[in-house]
């Protein structure tokens, strides 16, 4: 018998625990469906009439030696249809008080709390064995692959499993999402866990059922072709500022974007105004409003593929600017104009004074000559 060794242990435990009434301890048995399960129960050799029930309601097995050894029928109780044709008694063992039974081809719905009763002549029942049976179903996970979208599906599992996605390094993927969790009428669970991956590698779906199969897993290899489109910058001028939009279309894996000023320092108030995922690619827009003239850079980073790509644009805003390069040029131009003006004024004054001095000298020279002629 497939579970004879396990059954032997259970038989031993039942022997040790064969005390009457509520003092009978509960023995826990866990097995997989389709297996044979031994439920042990021992009576005194004088105690022949016994009954097995599950969850206090369903009739599993009934034996009455006074009725010719017949079970079920003739008013002795009716076996639940769930167990018909699947419960076996150790006929030879009855002589020594062995009231153990074997459930063949165990089903998930056989899970429950079983009790073996000795039935006295007056109809009173004494509990001889209590067993908590768990019949598990451990289906292998099935992985669906759609480009970078992975789904791990489990159908008909019991008890309820936990599912975890792991990457090539066997580290858990934290952003996995459970998109289906359904318990069917027979107690089994259907589950689907989904992830979107951005890197090539091997991915594992690990299903855990601690009480039954512990862990079972499936894996798949994924190749992600990268796409690194160059960013495009759109600008729109207003009276006092310029709006800049950095757009990336069809990128993969998902990029990060950053605006930088003329000194290559990040601009902290940049805002992501678009982030869409379609057909396995990303479309993104990052936007800023600038009030200073200068050069602005849009830097797109994809560590696993192209590392960085960028685009830049020059902005000129009328009026004062605090851009270092722009201000230096403006100050230099103003200073140059002032110096030119001062030099022009000084030169003009010098020329004028020199001209006046020459005229005076000529006048005096002319006046002295006329005076000598007259005398």
């Amino acid at each position: 018998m497939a579970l004879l060794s396990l059954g032997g242990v259970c038989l031993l435990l039942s022997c040790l625990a064969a005390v009457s009434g509520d003092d009978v301890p509960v023995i826990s048995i866990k097995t997989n469906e389709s297996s044979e399960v031994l439920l042990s129960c021992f009576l005194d050799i004088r105690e022949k009439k016994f009954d097995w029930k599950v969850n206090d309601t369903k009739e599993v097995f009934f034996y009455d030696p006074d009725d010719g050894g017949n079970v079920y029928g003739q008013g002795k109780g009716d076996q639940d249809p769930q167990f018909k044709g699947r419960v076996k008694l150790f006929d030879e063992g009855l002589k020594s008080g062995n009231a153990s039974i074997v459930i063949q081809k165990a089903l998930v719905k056989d899970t429950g709390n079983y009790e073996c009763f000795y039935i006295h002549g007056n109809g009173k029942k004494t509990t001889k064995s209590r067993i908590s049976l768990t019949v598990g179903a451990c289906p292998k996970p099935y992985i669906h692959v759609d480009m970078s979208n992975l789904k791990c599906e489990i159908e008909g599992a019991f008890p309820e499993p936990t599912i975890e996605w792991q990457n090539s390094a066997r580290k858990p993927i934290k952003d996995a999402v459970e998109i289906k969790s359904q318990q069917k009428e027979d107690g089994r669970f259907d589950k689907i866990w989904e992830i979107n991956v951005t890197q090539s590698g091997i991915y594992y779906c690990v299903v855990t059922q601690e009480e039954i199969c512990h862990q079972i897993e499936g894996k798949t290899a994924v190749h992600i072709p990268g796409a690194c489109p160059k960013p495009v910058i759109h600008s729109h001028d207003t009276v006092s500022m310029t709006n800049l939009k950095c757009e990336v279309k069809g990128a993969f894996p998902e990029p990060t974007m950053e605006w930088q000023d003329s000194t290559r320092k990040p601009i902290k108030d940049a805002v992501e105004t678009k982030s869409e995922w379609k057909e396995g690619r990303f479309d993104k827009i990052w936007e800023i409003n600038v009030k200073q003239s200068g050069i602005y850079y849009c830097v797109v980073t994809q560590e696993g593929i192209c590392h960085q790509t960028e685009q830049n644009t020059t902005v000129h805003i009328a009026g004062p600017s605090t851009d270092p390069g722009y201000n230096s040029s403006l100050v230099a131009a103003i200073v140059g104009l002032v110096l030119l003006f001062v030099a022009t004024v000084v030169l003009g004054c010098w020329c004028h004074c020199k001209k006046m001095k020459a005229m005076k000298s000529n006048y005096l020279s002319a006046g002295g000559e006329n005076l000598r002629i007259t005398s």
Side-chain angles (χ1 to χ4, degrees), residues 110-332:
D110 292 340
T111 296
N113 297 312
Y114 290 76
E115 286 191 76
C116 172
F117 303 98
Y118 159 63
I119 302 176
H120 298 266
N122 58 6
K124 182 180 178 182
K125 293 182 178 181
T126 300
T127 300
K128 291 294 183 175
S129 175
R130 286 193 175 101
I131 296 175
S132 174
L133 174 63
T134 301
V135 181
C138 309
K140 189 175 179 66
Y142 180 76
I143 297 177
H144 307 266
V145 180
D146 182 10
M147 296 183 68
S148 60
N149 178 264
L150 306 181
K151 292 183 176 72
C152 179
E153 183 176 12
I154 292 289
E155 290 187 340
F158 187 85
E160 183 175 9
T162 60
I163 300 177
E164 180 181 76
W165 275 104
Q166 297 177 355
N167 60 20
S168 298
R170 304 308 300 254
K171 293 183 179 179
I173 299 174
K174 296 181 180 179
D175 56 353
V177 178
E178 185 179 58
I179 61 174
K180 180 181 180 180
S181 181
Q182 177 184 358
Q183 186 173 19
K184 297 185 287 189
E185 292 183 0
D186 62 357
R188 299 168 183 261
F189 289 87
D190 294 345
K191 286 178 172 284
I192 299 178
W193 278 74
E194 178 183 42
I195 55 171
N196 290 306
V197 300
T198 59
Q199 296 181 0
S200 299
I202 298 175
Y203 292 87
Y204 301 85
C205 174
V206 182
V207 180
T208 302
Q209 293 168 284
E210 293 289 353
E211 296 181 347
I212 305 296
C213 309
H214 185 54
Q215 284 189 338
I216 188 170
E217 67 179 35
K219 66 180 181 180
T220 187
V222 177
H223 174 68
I224 304 295
C228 310
K230 192 173 180 67
V232 177
I233 296 177
H234 309 274
S235 64
H236 176 69
D237 296 327
T238 62
V239 176
S240 59
M241 69 177 65
T242 296
N243 176 264
L244 299 179
K245 291 184 175 72
C246 180
E247 183 176 19
V248 170
K249 286 186 175 182
F252 191 87
E254 184 176 8
T256 59
M257 302 172 69
E258 181 180 74
W259 276 103
Q260 298 176 356
D261 62 19
S262 300
T263 62
R264 305 307 298 254
K265 292 182 179 179
I267 300 174
K268 296 181 179 180
D269 57 352
V271 178
E272 185 179 58
T273 57
K274 180 180 179 180
S275 181
E276 292 184 358
W277 164 268
K278 57 183 181 181
E279 298 180 355
R281 302 294 178 92
F282 290 91
D283 293 347
K284 285 179 170 283
I285 296 178
W286 278 74
E287 184 175 346
I288 55 171
N289 292 312
V290 299
K291 299 181 180 180
Q292 302 172 8
S293 298
I295 300 174
Y296 292 88
Y297 301 84
C298 174
V299 182
V300 179
T301 302
Q302 292 167 283
E303 292 290 352
I305 307 293
C306 311
H307 187 54
Q308 284 188 338
T309 55
E310 68 176 42
Q311 185 65 276
N312 67 71
T313 187
T314 301
V315 174
H316 175 71
I317 296 180
S321 174
T322 58
D323 180 76
Y326 180 82
N327 286 340
S328 297
S329 300
L330 180 62
V331 171

Side-chain angles (χ1 to χ4, degrees), residues 39-96:
L39 305 184
S40 59
C41 179
F42 278 82
L43 313 174
D44 186 277
I45 58 174
R46 295 166 297 179
E47 301 169 342
K48 298 297 184 181
K49 191 175 182 180
F50 63 91
D51 187 16
W52 276 96
K53 285 190 176 183
V54 59
N55 299 329
D56 295 327
T57 56
K58 291 184 179 181
E59 192 70 53
V60 180
F61 195 90
F62 182 90
Y63 180 81
D64 185 1
D66 297 331
D67 191 23
N70 292 328
V71 296
Y72 311 113
Q74 298 183 7
K76 303 299 183 181
D78 294 321
Q79 186 181 36
D80 191 279
Q82 173 181 329
F83 297 98
K84 284 187 176 180
R86 296 194 300 119
V87 182
K88 180 180 178 181
L89 180 67
F90 290 96
D91 294 331
E92 295 298 323
L94 289 174
K95 298 176 182 179
S96 59

Side-chain angles (χ1 to χ4, degrees), residues 92-114:
E92 295 298 323
L94 289 174
K95 298 176 182 179
S96 59
N98 185 356
S100 303
I101 59 174
V102 174
I103 298 178
Q104 298 174 318
K105 298 180 180 179
L107 304 173
V108 168
K109 62 182 180 180
D110 292 340
T111 296
N113 297 312
Y114 290 76

